[in-house]
Amino acid sequence: MSSVSYPRAVATAALQAGLSGAWIAARDLPPWRRRLTRLGTVAVVAAAGYAVAPERAEPEPEPELVVADKPFLVTEPPAAEEEPGPAFDKRKAILGVAVVGLTAAAYVGRHQLEKRWLARLTRNGHRHPTRGLAVRMASVEFAATLALQIVDVRRFGRR
């Protein structure tokens, strides 16, 4: 995949951090401005993602018609052969459960971190605790997303 590079990984992480920070910072706004701000932020991120997306490759030509292994006349039904069903792959099932578990743990951990930091900022008398929280969470989001993007860059770079 030629579109995966280090500058693209940094840009993706920065875009995700900006979206996350703006989303959190909008909590202080009145409901109509919060919704408008969040909608605008999502629209800007979607437009930026669309603008930098790699161009689509040309569609592959349709494959040629292949005759079956055991041809038969149209008037005769094919011999009844039982095809084995798809095999249950335990490794894929365990990997799926692990991904769901890791995602849930990351969500809960992020929420706990947000609550703890917001309480500390409020307790310490920060003038704008939600904005401070937005900056902190954006930096965490940037680091986490960049780490995941770098893994993709290295993985696709080996191929």
Side-chain angles (χ1 to χ4, degrees), residues 28-158:
D28 278 346
L29 300 174
W32 67 274
R33 289 187 70 192
R34 178 177 57 239
R35 290 183 187 114
L36 188 62
T37 301
R38 287 179 173 174
L39 177 68
T41 305
V42 169
V44 166
V45 169
Y50 180 76
V52 300
E55 295 190 23
R56 306 270 185 228
E58 293 183 23
E60 295 180 15
E62 293 184 24
E64 295 181 19
L65 181 63
V66 178
V67 180
D69 292 338
K70 298 178 183 177
F72 58 92
L73 295 174
V74 176
T75 56
E76 297 176 7
E81 294 180 15
E82 291 186 33
E83 294 183 23
F88 181 74
D89 190 2
K90 291 181 184 179
R91 290 179 295 175
K92 286 185 180 180
I94 290 172
L95 183 63
V97 169
V99 166
V100 169
L102 186 61
T103 302
Y107 177 77
V108 169
R110 177 190 167 117
H111 187 67
Q112 292 296 324
L113 188 61
E114 282 184 31
K115 285 186 351 182
R116 183 180 306 141
W117 278 351
L118 185 59
R120 183 178 299 150
L121 287 168
T122 304
R123 185 176 57 240
N124 291 341
H126 194 280
R127 290 181 57 194
H128 301 286
T130 305
R131 291 182 199 169
L133 174 66
V135 170
R136 287 181 178 191
M137 291 308 294
S139 63
V140 169
E141 187 80 28
F142 178 78
T145 305
L146 184 62
L148 293 173
Q149 292 292 320
I150 294 296
V151 168
D152 281 347
V153 169
R154 294 182 63 81
R155 181 176 60 191
F156 287 120
R158 289 186 198 146

